[in-house]
Amino acid sequence: MSMDYREYILDHYRDPRNYGKLEHPDVHCEDSNPLCGDQLGIDLQFEGDRVAAVRFQGRGCAISQATASMLSEMIEDKSIEEVIALGKDDVLEALGIPISPARTKCAFLSLRVLHRALAIAGLEHPPKKTTKTSKL
């Protein structure tokens, strides 16, 4: 891991951006990673079609908490459409380091909670399952 990215991750872990709770969020969602004990909650407020404010709270390893901090910066003041489009590759790019398979659940916890929050708010819908029909 390069020293620059290590310091960047540790900076987000030690001094997380947007840490805390919103007084009146439009949606709140939380989840945990039972394999390692990471916990995370996200509060979102919307203004029109944009994320006006985001806060997160949680505890866990440096990767899970730093990723939540980075993701909060990535989504604030973005359109809901842009936020919905965020995926695992965006998180990995923000981290800037390769993540071992054992740490991917830590790295993607905040993304999972974010997408669940959007679904709870009725802004994101799971992809429709397609069914194959067989010819008899």
Side-chain angles (χ1 to χ4, degrees):
M1 175 185 324
S2 89
M3 186 58 82
D4 291 340
Y5 282 108
R6 180 180 302 153
E7 288 304 314
Y8 180 65
I9 290 167
L10 288 176
D11 178 53
H12 272 275
Y13 177 66
R14 292 179 183 140
D15 183 24
R17 284 44 153 202
N18 299 308
Y19 191 86
K21 294 183 178 188
L22 293 173
E23 194 164 322
H24 301 290
D26 292 317
V27 67
H28 171 82
C29 185
E30 54 189 63
D31 200 359
S32 64
N33 178 357
L35 297 176
C36 67
D38 295 331
Q39 297 177 336
L40 187 74
I42 291 181
D43 292 341
L44 299 171
Q45 281 182 334
F46 307 107
E47 193 171 287
D49 70 341
R50 303 192 85 64
V51 174
V54 58
R55 296 290 181 276
F56 79 95
Q57 61 281 330
R59 61 188 168 116
C61 70
I63 294 293
S64 73
Q65 300 305 296
T67 302
S69 176
M70 292 175 202
L71 189 64
S72 74
E73 286 188 321
M74 292 167 63
I75 68 170
E76 195 162 41
D77 202 37
K78 296 290 190 233
S79 73
I80 293 167
E81 186 175 300
E82 290 173 297
V83 175
I84 289 170
L86 289 173
K88 292 178 179 179
D89 289 340
D90 299 301
V91 169
L92 293 176
E93 185 178 324
L95 282 170
I97 59 168
I99 299 293
S100 70
R103 301 302 301 263
T104 57
K105 290 194 182 296
C106 303
F108 299 143
L109 176 60
S110 57
L111 184 66
R112 186 174 73 230
V113 174
L114 171 64
H115 285 291
R116 284 185 183 170
L118 293 170
I120 290 168
L123 300 170
E124 182 174 2
H125 305 286
K128 292 184 179 183
K129 292 183 180 180
T130 58
T131 57
K132 292 183 180 181
T133 57
S134 61
K135 293 182 182 179
L136 297 176

